[in-house]
Amino acid sequence: MSTRKNRQNRHLGKEKPAAKEQPVVASSAEYRVRQEAGMPAALPAEAMARYVAIGDSFSEGLMDPGANGRFRGWTDRLAAKFSGIRTQAGLPETQYANLAIRGKLLAPIIEEQLPRALELEPTVVSLVGGGNDLLRPKSTPDRLAALLESGVQQCLQAGAAVILCTSSNAADGGLIEKTRGPNAILNSHIWSIARRYPNVFVIDQWGLAALRTWPAWAADRIHLTPTGHEVLSRGALNALGWEFVPDHERTLGPGEVPIPTDVPVWQAVPEGWAETEPTWQDDLAWVRRDFLPWVGRHLRGRSSGDRISAKRPELLSISAY
């Protein structure tokens, strides 16, 4: 990916420093550009001005409870890190919107969420979807890749950088392991798309060691825990060419545990996670509580996203934390 050219456009151009009256929120971390051979140019702080996330429950942030009773998730956490980078550079905080809705298939994400996202004139869009499709027998990763590429093209034509994300590696994941092959094919398409276009970045979720452990995943085995979301947000920052450098102990949110920072993010596994395995009682509880209701819902043609609206439909400032 070292052949990628750093194309400048109306959104990725230089931005004037913030006026003195702009509030600067102290972040619990410092950020620096990673300088490693072979990696694409980092997403500049100027391009973090307006971030819009689209997708399904993965980007909505399920199982990561935040303020006011709504979910937070890796996209909120990434947006806050963007604000940390920008305030560190003397720029205004990031404006952030999240249009992702649980249960959505990739076609509605592209056809319904993306046009609205582009109306907000984003400088960067995270476009993550297809996981729900691959749980259905007639879906193919090749068709999903074509949809995903059309979304990437629309974002780039509108002047926005694009963040894509591979699937996790579901080896030893029980029933979910059955999707590993199709997901691996879609992952190959994602990396290929990123090689063909400028300003497209890929989060290597497949390669994050922490997400190969059971404690990274909530009881439903589909969504990340709060710490899992934090790991992914740091992986996203890494994919964008930035390094997360804590300058003091970060205040942990509900359900979070410390993440090692003395190793690269893809190697960082919280203490005790690698040794944790589910019991047969956990498996039985999951089948009764999560799997069977999911089957019943889909047999009735219903979605978990029915009557759910986007949690953050407009661009609003987000503070660094």
Side-chain angles (χ1 to χ4, degrees), residues 4-238:
R4 184 197 312 249
K5 294 183 179 178
N6 186 17
R7 179 184 298 174
Q8 297 293 323
N9 52 46
R10 64 185 177 91
H11 284 327
L12 301 184
K14 291 295 182 182
E15 193 175 306
K16 293 181 179 180
K20 289 184 179 180
E21 64 269 21
Q22 287 288 344
V24 176
V25 179
S27 172
S28 62
E30 292 181 350
Y31 302 88
R32 60 171 177 247
V33 177
R34 293 173 56 228
Q35 300 289 344
E36 294 184 7
M39 69 177 296
L43 184 74
E46 292 83 2
M48 300 172 186
R50 296 181 299 282
Y51 169 37
V52 181
I54 61 175
D56 52 30
S57 59
F58 183 73
S59 295
E60 186 184 348
L62 262 64
M63 305 306 173
D64 184 13
N68 302 321
R70 69 173 179 83
F71 293 110
R72 186 166 50 170
W74 70 271
T75 53
D76 287 39
R77 293 167 181 266
L78 179 61
K81 290 174 174 57
F82 284 169
S83 279
I85 291 170
R86 286 176 57 81
T87 55
Q88 189 171 288
L91 298 170
E93 293 176 338
T94 294
Q95 300 287 305
Y96 165 58
N98 189 315
L99 309 181
I101 295 177
R102 66 197 72 174
K104 287 295 183 182
L105 301 177
L106 185 56
I109 293 171
I110 299 297
E111 295 166 3
E112 300 168 10
Q113 294 181 21
L114 182 55
R116 173 55 187 151
L118 298 182
E119 289 177 359
L120 298 175
E121 297 187 347
T123 54
V124 58
V125 174
S126 59
L127 168 52
V128 183
N132 289 321
D133 297 78
L134 290 178
L135 295 174
R136 290 157 172 77
K138 294 184 179 180
S139 182
T140 68
D142 298 326
R143 183 183 66 83
L144 295 176
L147 277 172
L148 197 63
E149 185 166 8
S150 72
V152 167
Q153 290 171 340
Q154 292 176 60
C155 290
L156 295 176
Q157 289 167 4
V162 185
I163 303 170
L164 303 177
C165 183
T166 70
S167 72
S168 62
N169 185 349
D172 305 317
L175 286 174
I176 298 172
E177 186 177 357
K178 303 299 182 183
T179 66
R180 191 168 181 250
N183 271 310
I185 295 172
L186 182 57
N187 288 348
S188 296
H189 279 296
I190 288 171
W191 287 112
S192 181
I193 291 168
R195 286 294 298 268
R196 295 198 297 274
Y197 297 94
N199 297 325
V200 179
F201 301 84
V202 178
I203 308 169
D204 185 13
Q205 186 184 186
W206 186 279
L208 291 171
L211 303 192
R212 288 287 310 279
T213 69
W214 286 99
W217 300 91
D220 67 1
R221 303 186 179 183
I222 294 292
H223 301 105
L224 293 167
T225 59
T227 305
H229 278 286
E230 178 61 24
V231 168
L232 189 65
S233 75
R234 297 185 190 187
L237 201 67
N238 183 271

